[in-house]
Amino acid sequence: MHASAPAPDASALTSSRRRRLTVVVNPNATTTSPRLRSLVVHALSHRFDVEPVDTEGPRHATELARAAVESGADAVVTLGGDGTVNEAANGLIDSGVPLVPLPGGATNVFHRLIGMPGDIIDATEHMLSLADRWEPRAVDVGRIGDRWFTFAAGVGLDASVVDRVDQRPNLKARFGPWFYTAAAVATFNRHYVRNPPQLVLELPDGRELPGVTAIFQNAPEFTYFASRPVRLLHGEALDTGHLSGAVLRHSRPTVMPGVTLRALVPSLDLGRHRAVEAVPGLTSAVIRSTDDRPLPFQVDGDFVGGTTRAEIGVRPGGLLIVA
């Protein structure tokens, strides 16, 4: 885990001087366009000194965020979806430089969680108002392997679905949550009914929880289905100092109706499903493959790849945000 940086100077974070912003733009995000980029940058320039930079590929936003810290930026603004936010956050952990996300993706989960308006024009106007009431606050971030996540991560079925969706960006943009649903059904039937990857979650108290899928939640919502919150595990928030986890023991067809119901009805808790082992208050664990197959995993809705072993952790207050 990264070493903690010295505490930032509070007066520098809250003063009314004209602040320097690095605006990290993902030009390939679902609702981002060159015209929108220009409008946002022009509007922000009325109250801030703005340096726009475009991402050029995976993990580039992390590099751009780190460069912004080194250059003395007062904040990093993202114009993109949750993947762009995640990458930028990975470059800002423990830096003392706040993240300000503007919605430019399809779902924009983190934006909703921290109270940022969902419409880009409204969000830009909101950010302009923040120039006079700049109040950074700290939120927790989770970790799986060498990747931090802001609201959720998944290993197994969830990650396989994300991988399948990411391979068809046009359908993802056109059909949104309905394409995710179709991809989930197809992935489950083809790869998880007969021979799913096998994993185990090893807990600090010595317990080992075997299964085929694991999820980790750092926020009240795991994601959104259109405007509907998907609250798989209850009792979590961005400032609890821990994660909520769960392991799905098996993937027999009889399991999925109950899992789906709990995903779509916010009052129902996935952790109470008979085939699920819930792990509330999680601060550390290890997840590993038990059949030597790499386990697919995702962070904040972006597919990362495969791993046979990864440490799970949390950094309380590790990320500053302004929203």
Side-chain angles (χ1 to χ4, degrees):
M1 186 168 295
H2 296 200
S4 299
D9 182 349
S11 63
L13 289 172
T14 59
S15 68
S16 59
R17 65 180 173 80
R18 191 174 175 91
R19 295 177 180 84
R20 292 177 52 201
L21 306 180
T22 296
V23 181
V24 176
V25 182
N26 179 358
N28 297 315
T30 303
T31 60
T32 303
S33 66
R35 178 176 176 273
L36 184 62
R37 175 191 188 276
S38 297
L39 288 172
V40 170
V41 169
H42 177 73
L44 294 179
S45 297
H46 285 87
R47 299 300 306 274
F48 303 96
D49 291 333
V50 180
E51 179 188 4
V53 286
D54 290 353
T55 60
E56 298 176 354
R59 305 296 290 269
H60 191 206
T62 301
E63 298 175 18
L64 294 174
R66 288 174 179 158
V69 173
E70 293 174 1
S71 70
D74 292 302
V76 171
V77 178
T78 55
L79 179 55
D82 288 304
T84 308
V85 171
N86 174 272
E87 289 191 8
N90 270 265
L92 296 176
I93 305 301
D94 291 331
S95 70
V97 176
L99 173 69
V100 189
L102 293 178
T107 310
N108 302 312
V109 176
F110 190 67
H111 307 73
R112 303 190 204 196
L113 290 170
I114 63 175
M116 184 64 71
D119 177 80
I120 184 59
I121 302 302
D122 292 342
T124 303
E125 291 179 350
H126 174 70
M127 186 174 174
L128 289 171
S129 74
L130 296 176
D132 295 323
R133 49 184 182 86
W134 194 257
E135 300 175 350
R137 65 184 177 97
V139 297
D140 303 339
V141 281
R143 180 174 58 87
I144 178 168
D146 65 351
R147 286 294 295 268
W148 300 93
F149 58 92
T150 62
F151 60 88
V155 180
L157 174 60
D158 172 54
S160 296
V161 173
V162 170
D163 182 27
R164 186 182 182 93
V165 169
D166 285 349
Q167 292 178 24
R168 306 294 295 274
N170 293 335
L171 292 178
K172 175 182 177 181
R174 183 177 181 183
F175 297 107
W178 301 107
F179 182 48
Y180 274 93
T181 302
V185 172
T187 302
F188 178 78
N189 288 335
R190 292 178 184 178
H191 303 292
Y192 280 80
V193 171
R194 294 184 179 179
N195 189 29
Q198 301 294 315
L199 59 83
V200 64
L201 184 66
E202 300 174 345
L203 302 178
D205 61 7
R207 285 184 296 160
E208 295 189 351
L209 307 180
V212 297
T213 286
I215 61 170
F216 305 96
Q217 203 165 305
N218 183 48
E221 275 71 59
F222 186 80
T223 186
Y224 283 80
F225 185 90
S227 62
R228 181 191 296 271
V230 177
R231 190 170 300 152
L232 296 182
L233 302 172
H234 292 197
E236 200 53 66
L238 288 168
D239 57 359
T240 59
H242 55 64
L243 309 173
S244 289
V247 175
L248 180 66
R249 298 189 192 95
H250 60 81
S251 54
R252 291 193 286 269
T254 54
V255 165
M256 294 315 294
V259 170
T260 303
L261 181 64
R262 284 164 172 77
L264 296 179
V265 179
S267 61
L268 298 180
D269 191 337
L270 179 66
R272 296 181 178 277
H273 192 285
R274 66 184 185 281
V276 172
E277 188 77 44
V279 190
L282 183 68
T283 57
S284 66
V286 172
I287 193 163
R288 62 177 176 84
S289 169
T290 56
D291 61 5
D292 296 325
R293 283 184 288 175
L295 301 169
F297 73 102
Q298 62 88 8
V299 292
D300 292 339
D302 262 20
F303 181 72
V304 178
T307 182
T308 55
R309 182 185 184 278
E311 294 183 0
I312 310 298
V314 63
R315 175 71 171 94
L319 178 66
L320 288 180
I321 60 167
V322 177

